[in-house]
Amino acid sequence: MKDMDKSFRKDTETEFPLREEMRPRTVTAPDGQVIEIDPLRDYFCEEAPKVHRKSYSAIVEGFYNWARANSLWILGFGTGCGAIEMRPLMTPRFDAYRYGIQWRPTPRQANLLIISGYLSVKTLKRAIRAYEQMQQPKFVVGLGSCTINGGMYWDSYNTIKRLDDYLPVDLYIAGCMPRPEALLAGLMELKKIIRRGEAEGANKYAENFDWYKANQKSVIKDWDMPDYSW
Amino acid sequence: MTFQWIQIPYALLTLFIILNYGMLMTALIQKIGARVGGRYGIPIWQNYIDLLKNIALRSKISHGVMFYLGPVFRLTGGIGLILFVPTIYGSVMHQNFSFAGDLILALYFVFFGTLGMALGAAESGHPHSAIGVSRGLSQVTAAELPLALGVFAISLQYQTLNITDIVAAQQGSIFNWTLFTNPLATVAAMFAFVGTMMRAPFDVVLAPQEIPIGPPTEYHSSYLALMQTNRVLYPIAKTVIYMNLFFGGATSWPEFFVKIFAIYMVSVFIGVVYPRFRVEQSIQFFLKWGLPVGVLAILMV
């Protein structure tokens, strides 16, 4: 099931050159001082994510979970063909706004990342960055069969098969493609999961950080970013 | 008016009423917009849930001291505007901390939030924030010109800088309103009103599809909650000033609610009809149309 075959996994023998702007270099400042710059170390925070505890009081946590469930902000980031199934949710026919579901343009303000369809390795890199920049608690929904087992992209040389190996998925919506009704039903199901306090994907990600990173790095060929994008 | 301690709880009560009214009114206006588009729209209490959700987020990232202070300054602008302007004319409870020169202070507070936001957004280091803020500052500066001229015109007309006195002079009949006694000043100021309400055609500052979403790009959790609070307070605070200066003020809460809603809807109507201006277009628009009307208003007085 895992993306194990040799043609797909990264060739770990040969070094992949860093992008030019990521290479360490020496720069002469305007005042004549010579500075060593290692972009990956200097520009980014290397710390690993933390596990964030629930609130001490069960009543408070329940209240918070109710608010989280009724104010789902989706990151406006469409990865595959499923992105087009999200548009009808914004318009009169399916109108998801009445359930407290909104779309936000920046990962900082979003709580829900919908991986809407097949995820090529190139997009996986961006999806990981977007996911890591979201604030806890955050949820991931895999939309369509391609996120479950690769779907029609089973044989693809450049598409991941199991999303759960790379990001902690809270809910899958099966189908190729699922119709907007299915998407809406899935979001209602996600609300129930959040209400029950079981949507702790961000903590799962932090706990099993090494495992997720190893999986991610085994397929992303040009890994030139910090381990966790704060 | 001498200071009394009881004014503090009274002012907080005013703030509380305005905050809740703002939460419900902005949701209602979104709902009206949705109904026009054939949608059902958000629940009327959605703003409260969003606010709670943002406060309940577990992790926060800071970009420095100014990043903290940005939303604080912004909220200070909104609250300061409410606290120093009389909300209900003739009411002891909702006079707030109005004083002889409050008109000047109000003009300053209108600008204060934008400046604070500029500092905070610059610290966040996101290019979209910088673009949004530079657009916002240039647009607000251009939009403030007709407002300043309109305000000078009516302070000349009423020979005072005290908002309470200006409201008092407009009592009696609807024809005593500045809207009828000095229509040019009203029109000039309404240019600024439409221009600073962050609605189309002057919402290129936020421009969700172009520079997601401008100054608040990096803001999240409690920071965003502060800004959301300001987002419902500040437009109302600004509308209160316009109501007091040009539309005869309000003598009771029901009158206040109706007038604020009506004045607010002006910007909404214009927003749904006209497409978005680019920044240089909107600046040109204010200088070409707003400014001459303002100058004319002063000359007429």
Side-chain angles (χ1 to χ4, degrees):
Chain A
M1 196 65 173
K2 262 179 117 179
D3 304 312
M4 290 297 262
D5 55 48
K6 274 198 184 117
S7 64
F8 191 76
R9 293 195 68 152
K10 187 168 80 172
D11 175 15
T12 42
E13 302 296 308
T14 46
E15 280 274 307
F16 229 89
L18 282 174
R19 270 185 291 148
E20 199 184 339
E21 63 266 33
M22 290 297 173
R23 286 179 207 150
R25 54 185 178 264
T26 45
V27 175
T28 315
D31 59 356
Q33 200 184 357
V34 180
I35 318 168
E36 297 268 337
I37 292 179
D38 182 359
L40 275 178
R41 194 158 297 163
D42 296 347
Y43 295 168
F44 301 103
C45 174
E46 281 188 324
E47 217 171 307
K50 277 195 301 239
V51 176
H52 285 262
R53 269 198 312 267
K54 291 183 181 185
S55 173
Y56 285 111
S57 154
I59 297 173
V60 174
E61 184 65 20
F63 184 46
Y64 282 171
N65 280 336
W66 169 80
R68 282 167 197 148
N70 285 301
S71 165
L72 279 177
W73 287 6
I74 304 178
L75 179 61
F77 177 40
T79 56
C81 31
I84 205 147
E85 302 293 333
M86 283 206 270
R87 300 306 173 263
L89 293 188
M90 307 176 187
T91 45
R93 179 130 184 231
F94 297 103
D95 187 23
Y97 289 94
R98 65 201 149 125
Y99 301 116
I101 296 166
Q102 295 178 37
W103 280 261
R104 299 299 286 193
T106 139
R108 288 281 189 233
Q109 297 171 4
N111 315 111
L112 173 59
L113 178 61
I114 294 187
I115 301 295
S116 51
Y118 68 88
L119 201 52
S120 69
V121 172
K122 207 171 173 181
T123 322
L124 174 67
K125 195 172 160 186
R126 272 73 197 176
I128 290 167
R129 292 197 76 156
Y131 176 75
E132 290 178 349
Q133 285 178 5
M134 284 157 61
Q135 299 302 309
Q136 282 210 34
K138 46 192 169 185
F139 322 112
V140 179
V141 166
L143 176 64
S145 308
C146 336
T147 56
I148 300 171
N149 58 11
M152 63 184 283
Y153 295 95
W154 169 261
D155 277 341
S156 170
Y157 62 96
N158 199 25
T159 310
I160 60 156
K161 293 188 188 65
R162 256 188 76 173
L163 178 61
D164 207 18
D165 286 341
Y166 309 97
L167 291 174
V169 181
D170 292 290
L171 182 90
Y172 287 110
I173 302 170
C176 182
M177 285 307 298
R179 279 190 50 79
E181 291 98 326
L183 187 49
L184 214 48
L187 291 175
M188 292 303 118
E189 195 58 42
L190 178 69
K191 278 188 172 194
K192 285 180 200 155
I193 295 174
I194 298 171
R195 284 289 290 275
R196 287 201 302 268
E198 289 167 7
E200 294 291 334
N203 282 342
K204 200 176 134 200
Y205 190 70
E207 277 164 13
N208 307 308
F209 190 58
D210 295 334
W211 184 76
Y212 280 112
K213 276 300 142 183
N215 282 347
Q216 290 166 2
K217 284 184 179 173
S218 73
V219 292
I220 295 177
K221 296 185 175 65
D222 52 340
W223 185 277
D224 55 357
M225 52 188 192
D227 272 1
Y228 193 83
S229 309
W230 281 98
Chain B
M1 197 167 147
T2 52
F3 175 76
Q4 285 160 337
W5 286 103
I6 192 70
Q7 278 180 297
I8 294 177
Y10 281 166
L12 289 179
L13 176 68
T14 317
L15 198 62
F16 179 74
I17 296 175
I18 292 184
L19 177 66
N20 285 297
Y21 176 61
M23 289 274 200
L24 295 173
M25 193 192 76
T26 33
L28 179 67
I29 283 173
Q30 276 204 43
K31 222 171 157 58
I32 293 174
R35 287 291 168 93
V36 172
R39 286 190 296 116
Y40 184 77
I42 58 172
I44 195 96
W45 53 80
Q46 186 66 47
N47 279 339
Y48 291 99
I49 304 177
D50 287 348
L51 197 65
L52 180 66
K53 193 274 305 280
N54 275 327
I55 292 171
L57 282 190
R58 290 185 194 142
S59 59
K60 297 174 191 60
I61 293 171
S62 171
H63 293 267
V65 178
M66 241 16 250
F67 188 75
Y68 277 101
L69 289 181
V72 175
F73 281 177
R74 194 124 177 84
L75 190 60
T76 311
I79 292 181
L81 209 52
I82 289 173
L83 288 189
F84 289 101
V85 169
T87 315
I88 304 288
Y89 171 72
S91 152
V92 183
M93 281 176 86
H94 307 295
Q95 238 359 271
N96 302 338
F97 303 104
S98 164
F99 62 98
D102 49 7
L103 190 52
I104 300 291
L105 190 69
L107 275 186
Y108 172 70
F109 265 129
V110 167
F111 212 89
F112 188 74
T114 319
L115 286 177
M117 199 55 234
L119 295 170
E123 178 105 7
S124 80
H126 201 286
H128 291 153
S129 306
I131 296 172
V133 156
S134 61
R135 285 177 180 186
L137 277 178
S138 41
Q139 185 173 296
V140 168
T141 312
E144 287 286 293
L145 279 173
L147 172 66
L149 289 174
V151 165
F152 291 151
I154 63 164
S155 66
L156 276 174
Q157 181 191 349
Y158 296 115
Q159 294 293 323
T160 176
L161 281 172
N162 187 342
I163 297 181
T164 313
D165 290 348
I166 294 177
V167 180
Q170 299 178 59
Q171 297 302 309
S173 152
I174 192 169
F175 295 107
N176 291 346
W177 291 5
T178 317
L179 175 64
F180 296 104
T181 57
N182 194 347
L184 279 177
T186 311
V187 171
M190 285 316 272
F191 272 108
F193 179 72
V194 177
T196 52
M197 286 306 261
M198 291 295 162
R199 288 189 166 275
F202 304 105
D203 62 343
V204 77
V205 180
L206 295 175
Q209 293 85 7
E210 187 198 351
I211 44 163
I213 53 176
T217 306
E218 279 288 308
Y219 281 98
H220 51 271
S221 64
S222 309
Y223 311 114
L224 189 65
L226 273 184
M227 289 169 65
Q228 280 178 310
T229 317
N230 183 62
R231 200 97 179 103
V232 298
L233 266 184
Y234 184 66
I236 303 229
K238 208 154 42 181
T239 319
V240 170
I241 295 186
Y242 281 83
M243 180 187 71
N244 280 333
L245 294 184
F246 304 105
F247 300 96
T251 48
S252 64
W253 281 113
E255 192 189 352
F256 173 89
F257 293 149
V258 171
K259 273 189 180 172
I260 293 287
F261 185 76
I263 302 171
Y264 195 93
M265 282 306 271
V266 171
S267 72
V268 176
F269 277 131
I270 293 176
V272 293
V273 174
Y274 292 101
R276 185 182 287 157
F277 270 151
R278 287 207 309 267
V279 146
E280 69 268 24
Q281 284 171 328
S282 64
I283 290 177
Q284 228 168 44
F285 173 79
F286 288 126
L287 296 184
K288 207 167 167 182
W289 298 102
L291 204 59
V293 179
V295 173
L296 214 60
I298 288 198
L299 289 179
M300 291 288 280
V301 176

